[in-house]
Amino acid sequence: MTTPRRLYASNQSEVDSAQWIDVFLGQGNQHMLIFSGIAMPAYDSYNDDFNREHIVVMFDQVVSAIVQASATVGLASIHNTDSDFVFATDSVSVFRDDDSGRLALDCQLAVQGDYSLLSRFSYHAVVIASIDEPYVSGLIRWDPGVTGPRSQQLLHPIHSTPSPPVSPLFKITALRDLSSPSDPSYPIAVPTPLAFTSETPAPTVGADGLHQVPYTLRLGNVPNAVGEPFYLQGAIEPGAFPHAHTELVLEQTSGPSFVTLSGSHLHEDGVDFLVTAVQVPK
Amino acid sequence: MTQLDPLILNPSLGAVIEGHWIELPIAGPADRNVLVLVGGVGIITEGTLDTEDEDETADTHIWIETGYEFADGDSFDPAPDAHDVSAAVQLASINVDGSDPFTLEISKVQARKITPLELATIVLKGGQEGGQVEPGPGTPGPATSNDELVIIVTVHQSGDCSLQRLGYRAAVRLFRVDPNRQVSGPHGDLNL
């Protein structure tokens, strides 16, 4: 079994006319990806034997898994002097490269003749693949001068005593206002949670001196998370800042008020929150 | 070097056999709602793309009219980095005299939309420049009323050989004003 020779679709000296299309099928995180191009292996033969070559065309698209795939290859450029010849594209398949997660086309070639050259073959592949998942992410920031010390040290201690479970400080919830079914004659929009996250990674200090933790609200298995708008609500968990001298709230400071994810916009990054003190009216 | 430019394969004259297409609704990206898949075989009339010996070479732009006509208002971006279009072409039938060296090569492939006026202009220009504008004798086929999908192939050949057929597949991701409307064409309406 020979090691396949890799050609990269992103390299025009290895693959010409490389094109691809990505469409969202509206079912889970499944996409249909269509690839076409002309691979240029320039594989030649100087004898009457069947000379076989194993080619892999690497695409740029990273996927989680292949659901279904169909591919064809065909001769695109051949050359022979005055000998008998065979040019063959013997097999083709699509696979996911485990190291990189990228899609790739696997093709077996054969050439016979003195002299013969299989310079190019064309390919067309249709792949239904799972790609990533929708999510919203951002930073939660706070000013210790406003909040006072936190309730607990989130960083692991140096000494190896077992650390108690760390309680979350914040909760980010995705909500959508849905009509209450209790009284159809008097509809009331009820904030309905779709999903929430309560991650508590170790905080860092940002360039502006504020403490911050990143959050990611994953929505991969949430029905209708893609295609319909929702909004985010941040909350400070009870006891997170026990030394604060004022009431604290978590306010969204960047990103859209209503998030709408789509097949081409599965991620909404940069939706940040800030812990602020409630202004008490005088 | 012989320059035959352009050579237009017109489906209404039987130049594209087994041309077929599929239209399906898609959920995204947000500004695209229909995917069109097209496939077939383009026939080149015998004697059109022949070279006789190793010293004779020909570079030809072949325009394959797929027969797929876009609906009014269909829009997509043909630029490569827009990723709305994909096309592949392969050597489907060749004739070679094995006693002489030969080369047959598809060097470039692209798919694009062409207006009836643009197509008519190219047909006329090709005729004036001596290029063969259609595979059969006679005049170009009936003008299409809507923009049509064409696949443009650049072919190089030399030696005692002829190119007879090209297999093609193409896909277009587009926005359609009424995504429920399917289009018709010379090869039939899939709504039937």
Side-chain angles (χ1 to χ4, degrees):
Chain A
M1 188 72 177
T2 59
T3 303
R5 186 149 67 90
R6 289 190 170 195
L7 305 175
Y8 289 83
S10 57
N11 185 343
Q12 204 168 358
S13 66
E14 296 180 340
V15 178
D16 206 323
S17 303
Q19 299 160 313
W20 61 273
I21 292 176
D22 178 358
V23 300
F24 181 54
L25 298 176
Q27 179 181 353
N29 59 351
Q30 291 185 8
H31 291 232
M32 179 187 283
L33 298 159
I34 301 172
F35 301 92
S36 62
I38 303 172
M40 300 186 282
Y43 184 58
D44 53 11
S45 161
Y46 290 89
N47 53 49
D48 292 334
D49 297 334
F50 272 111
N51 300 282
R52 301 185 186 279
E53 176 76 315
H54 187 183
I55 298 291
V56 167
V57 179
M58 296 296 299
F59 304 126
D60 285 341
Q61 283 61 41
V62 175
V63 303
S64 307
I66 293 176
V67 180
Q68 291 176 315
S70 166
T72 62
V73 290
L75 301 176
S77 177
I78 54 176
H79 168 78
N80 175 260
T81 54
D82 57 356
S83 67
D84 292 342
F85 60 82
V86 170
F87 298 101
T89 49
D90 278 337
S91 69
V92 64
S93 61
V94 176
F95 70 98
R96 176 184 178 274
D97 180 58
D98 288 336
D99 294 334
S100 63
R102 294 162 64 180
L103 285 172
L105 184 87
D106 184 293
C107 182
Q108 301 275 358
L109 308 175
V111 180
Q112 181 191 43
D114 182 15
Y115 168 78
S116 287
L117 170 67
L118 200 169
S119 181
R120 298 169 172 228
F121 67 86
S122 69
Y123 63 82
H124 182 89
V126 181
V127 184
I128 295 176
S130 300
I131 297 182
D132 212 336
E133 65 176 354
Y135 68 77
V136 178
S137 71
L139 293 173
I140 302 170
R141 302 188 295 170
W142 66 93
D143 182 353
V146 173
T147 63
R150 295 196 314 276
S151 62
Q152 53 197 291
Q153 179 59 263
L154 295 181
L155 298 175
H156 291 294
I158 296 173
H159 302 293
S160 58
T161 52
S163 301
V166 178
S167 300
L169 294 178
F170 309 104
K171 181 177 182 180
I172 305 296
T173 306
L175 303 109
R176 188 174 286 145
D177 290 341
L178 301 177
S179 298
S180 171
S182 58
D183 185 358
S185 62
Y186 190 71
I188 301 173
V190 178
T192 306
L194 302 175
F196 67 90
T197 181
S198 299
E199 296 172 3
T200 56
T204 58
V205 180
D208 53 4
L210 298 180
H211 290 204
Q212 61 186 33
V213 292
Y215 77 91
T216 300
L217 179 56
R218 300 173 61 187
L219 299 161
N221 297 315
V222 178
N224 302 320
V226 175
E228 296 180 25
F230 57 86
Y231 61 93
L232 300 178
Q233 195 173 73
I236 303 169
E237 295 289 1
F241 298 102
H243 306 294
H245 296 294
T246 182
E247 186 180 350
L248 302 174
V249 293
L250 190 58
E251 291 184 338
Q252 184 179 337
T253 56
S254 65
S257 302
F258 283 88
V259 176
T260 303
L261 302 177
S262 66
S264 61
H265 182 65
L266 277 175
H267 309 154
E268 189 69 56
D269 296 298
V271 183
D272 297 344
F273 287 82
L274 179 69
V275 178
T276 58
V278 174
Q279 300 295 322
V280 180
K282 294 180 181 178
Chain B
M1 185 174 77
T2 305
Q3 182 75 29
L4 302 173
D5 191 2
L7 175 68
I8 297 179
L9 307 186
N10 188 309
S12 63
L13 295 168
V16 177
I17 60 170
E18 298 178 4
H20 48 263
W21 60 81
I22 294 171
E23 295 172 318
L24 65 156
I26 58 175
D31 56 350
R32 297 290 182 265
N33 57 7
V34 171
L35 178 69
V36 178
L37 303 170
V38 176
V41 177
I43 304 175
I44 298 156
T45 302
E46 189 175 344
T48 305
L49 284 185
D50 285 1
T51 45
E52 299 297 331
D53 56 52
E54 171 171 29
D55 297 327
E56 182 182 2
T57 64
D59 290 285
T60 311
H61 293 300
I62 300 175
W63 292 51
I64 302 174
E65 284 188 68
T66 64
Y68 180 80
E69 294 181 29
F70 293 96
D72 291 338
D74 281 0
S75 61
F76 64 93
D77 187 346
D81 57 1
H83 303 297
D84 276 345
V85 181
S86 160
V89 172
Q90 56 194 246
L91 302 173
S93 177
I94 60 174
N95 189 344
V96 174
D97 181 345
S99 62
D100 289 321
F102 76 92
T103 297
L104 281 163
E105 176 168 299
I106 296 167
S107 49
K108 294 280 183 189
V109 178
Q110 63 167 310
R112 54 167 286 198
K113 183 163 66 173
I114 190 168
T115 65
L117 177 61
E118 189 180 4
L119 182 61
T121 304
I122 291 169
V123 168
L124 181 61
K125 179 171 176 283
Q128 288 173 341
E129 293 180 352
Q132 182 163 342
V133 298
E134 54 180 355
T139 57
T144 57
S145 56
N146 284 69
D147 295 348
E148 185 178 352
L149 180 68
V150 294
I151 298 174
I152 302 171
V153 190
T154 305
V155 174
H156 169 82
Q157 69 181 88
S158 69
D160 192 355
C161 62
S162 66
L163 177 59
Q164 299 177 328
R165 298 188 181 206
L166 291 171
Y168 66 87
R169 295 186 68 84
V172 182
R173 187 182 71 173
L174 56 82
F175 173 77
R176 178 161 294 167
V177 178
D178 177 7
N180 294 318
R181 180 183 179 276
Q182 291 183 299
V183 303
S184 61
H187 289 280
D189 187 339
L190 294 182
N191 280 327
L192 295 176

